[in-house]
Amino acid sequence: MTEFVNHTNLDAYEAFVQSHPKGHFSQSSLWAKQKPAWRWKAVICRDGQGAICGSIAFLIRRMPIVRRNMLYACRGPVCDLDDRKTFHELMGAAKRIAQAERAYVIKIDPDVPSSDTEFVSMLEQEGFVCRNTGKNFEAIQPRYVFRLYLDGRDEEAMLASFHQKWRYNIRLATRKGVEVRICGKEMVPDFARIMVETGVRDNFATRPPEYFSAMLDNLGEHARLYMAFYEGKPIAGTLAVHYGDKVWYLYGASSNEHRNLMPNYLLQWRMIQWAIETNSRVYDFRGVSGDVSEDNPHYGLFRFKQGFGGEFTEFVGEFDYVQSKLAYLIAEKGSLAYKTLAAKLYMLKNRGK
């Protein structure tokens, strides 16, 4: 039995998502505040005793040209992956929402490893098709990540698990005078400026300052902006999120200056320390390329995250339930063209910064 989330059961919904092993901040109503261009709709499923046993939240947006909606359940659903009954009920509710919203597609990218072939089979039986989005960063969310499982280890044991060179670089940053502080919105302009510098250097588009400020407001105590300083000057920064039993490294930036002081290593250690302080089960480094060949331009990012001892994880990927094939084809091709053009314009605008 499913029901929509509203003001009467929102607190129970949040408590369930935050406490569940498959809970994710992007399934929280807090994340909906971060996406004002989208509408938010969530459903819960209850067991025979009335307790919540599953949930799924959607961001809904009307897409241009096709003039139909896309339903996107980022890292949903939240439920026991072996509970076929609950999963089937949640997918049934999703399809009813899609019908009512005149959606051309339901997109989901579950927090489920690719090794779980049973779950993939369940998705396919529900009519979902895997969207092959490549091995780099073509999908909405990264398909390949590094995850560090803390296993109750303290700081000493965690530090000892890092590659020797990584431990050295963390100590080097401290010894050379790099200081990491937890900052408020007053440092967002500097963080955003360094993000642009990083994006131009590494060839990716970045968010505007307002987006990062809003994240600190909307996620509140769940979000932290860490900034690294050298001689009083900000030289690097990261944005992290703690929700439930996980901490995610969401955004990272480093100036072209003073990179030899290894501020990024110290920033990672500070975020991992937050995960330890909050008794988190997982520290998620987020995306890396699935192509781990050394000639891949993204290989340096892979090596950096690998050195902290995390587990290379491949998720099942992005799955689509298509309601209108023509609208889907037009929207997918249009979205790809828009992203490509936007990235080129971004680089032209910010080159030299």
Side-chain angles (χ1 to χ4, degrees):
M1 159 180 183
T2 59
E3 61 190 72
F4 285 111
V5 174
N6 54 39
H7 70 280
T8 64
N9 55 17
L10 179 60
D11 288 345
Y13 168 82
E14 285 291 340
F16 171 77
V17 174
Q18 195 162 350
S19 64
H20 199 280
K22 286 297 175 186
H24 197 283
F25 70 88
S26 60
Q27 283 287 295
S28 166
S29 61
L30 297 175
W31 190 244
K33 297 177 183 178
Q34 186 64 21
K35 301 292 182 180
W38 301 68
R39 288 182 293 117
W40 187 80
K41 190 170 285 189
V43 293
I44 57 177
C45 184
R46 297 185 185 272
D47 62 21
Q49 288 71 49
I52 299 175
C53 57
S55 67
I56 188 166
F58 292 99
L59 291 169
I60 305 171
R61 187 172 187 176
R62 191 173 179 83
M63 303 303 284
I65 302 176
V66 296
R67 302 182 69 180
R68 294 186 66 165
N69 288 322
M70 178 174 80
L71 264 65
Y72 176 43
C74 182
R75 296 308 192 211
V78 179
C79 65
D80 180 348
L81 301 183
D82 297 321
D83 186 347
R84 287 178 173 267
K85 180 176 180 295
T86 296
F87 179 77
H88 180 69
E89 289 190 18
L90 290 172
M91 292 303 100
K95 292 170 186 177
R96 289 191 294 274
I97 294 172
Q99 198 73 30
E101 294 283 352
R102 290 195 71 248
Y104 69 92
V105 69
I106 304 171
K107 282 185 176 287
I108 64 174
D109 44 20
D111 184 346
V112 179
S114 59
S115 57
D116 194 338
T117 55
E118 284 292 317
F119 185 80
V120 172
S121 177
M122 285 166 59
L123 279 170
E124 291 172 344
Q125 288 171 23
E126 291 290 342
F128 284 84
V129 177
C130 183
R131 183 169 173 265
N132 189 353
T133 50
K135 288 199 168 187
N136 289 311
F137 297 93
E138 297 88 350
I140 301 174
Q141 297 298 321
R143 183 168 183 172
Y144 305 89
V145 303
F146 268 105
R147 279 189 156 175
L148 184 63
Y149 292 90
L150 278 66
D151 301 322
R153 287 175 286 181
D154 60 16
E155 290 187 8
E156 184 178 355
M158 187 61 64
L159 196 59
S161 71
F162 299 165
H163 187 282
Q164 180 182 355
K165 182 66 173 177
W166 272 240
R167 295 197 302 270
Y168 173 83
N169 286 341
I170 291 168
R171 293 178 180 127
L172 173 70
T174 304
R175 193 167 65 249
K176 292 292 185 179
V178 176
E179 180 189 0
V180 171
R181 304 175 206 159
I182 301 168
C183 299
K185 289 195 295 181
E186 74 283 351
M187 289 305 301
V188 164
D190 288 285
F191 176 68
R193 172 182 54 80
I194 300 172
M195 277 294 299
V196 171
E197 200 172 326
T198 305
V200 171
R201 182 180 69 232
D202 296 339
N203 197 36
F204 67 87
T206 63
R207 300 280 191 177
E210 296 77 17
Y211 186 86
F212 301 123
S213 291
M215 188 177 295
L216 294 176
D217 283 337
N218 293 328
L219 298 185
E221 64 180 11
H222 295 281
R224 278 187 180 181
L225 173 61
Y226 289 85
M227 295 295 293
F229 296 83
Y230 178 66
E231 296 181 343
K233 179 183 178 180
I235 60 171
T238 56
L239 233 170
V241 171
H242 167 243
Y243 187 83
D245 63 356
K246 303 175 189 71
V247 169
W248 289 265
Y249 160 45
L250 223 56
Y251 294 99
S254 61
S255 170
N256 291 330
E257 291 185 278
H258 306 299
R259 296 178 73 194
N260 61 312
L261 300 179
M262 307 300 171
N264 294 338
Y265 291 82
L266 187 58
L267 283 163
Q268 287 295 332
W269 176 229
R270 291 290 181 261
M271 291 186 291
I272 292 169
Q273 285 177 309
W274 189 26
I276 295 170
E277 290 165 14
T278 53
N279 295 314
S280 295
R281 181 176 58 89
V282 176
Y283 176 79
D284 194 320
F285 289 91
R286 293 267 291 169
V288 293
S289 173
D291 174 6
V292 298
S293 58
E294 294 188 17
D295 57 350
N296 186 329
H298 301 293
Y299 182 72
L301 183 65
F302 175 89
R303 283 285 296 127
F304 173 69
K305 296 180 179 182
Q306 182 187 43
F308 289 95
E311 183 177 304
F312 182 60
T313 303
E314 178 186 359
F315 293 123
V316 293
E318 201 170 286
F319 278 77
D320 292 345
Y321 181 84
V322 179
Q323 296 262 96
S324 168
K325 290 183 179 180
L326 179 60
Y328 178 79
L329 181 64
I330 295 170
E332 291 294 307
K333 287 189 176 296
S335 177
L336 178 61
Y338 173 80
K339 287 179 182 177
T340 302
L341 178 61
K344 288 180 179 178
L345 291 175
Y346 176 89
M347 292 302 162
L348 287 172
K349 177 183 176 183
N350 293 290
R351 189 171 293 154
K353 287 189 178 181

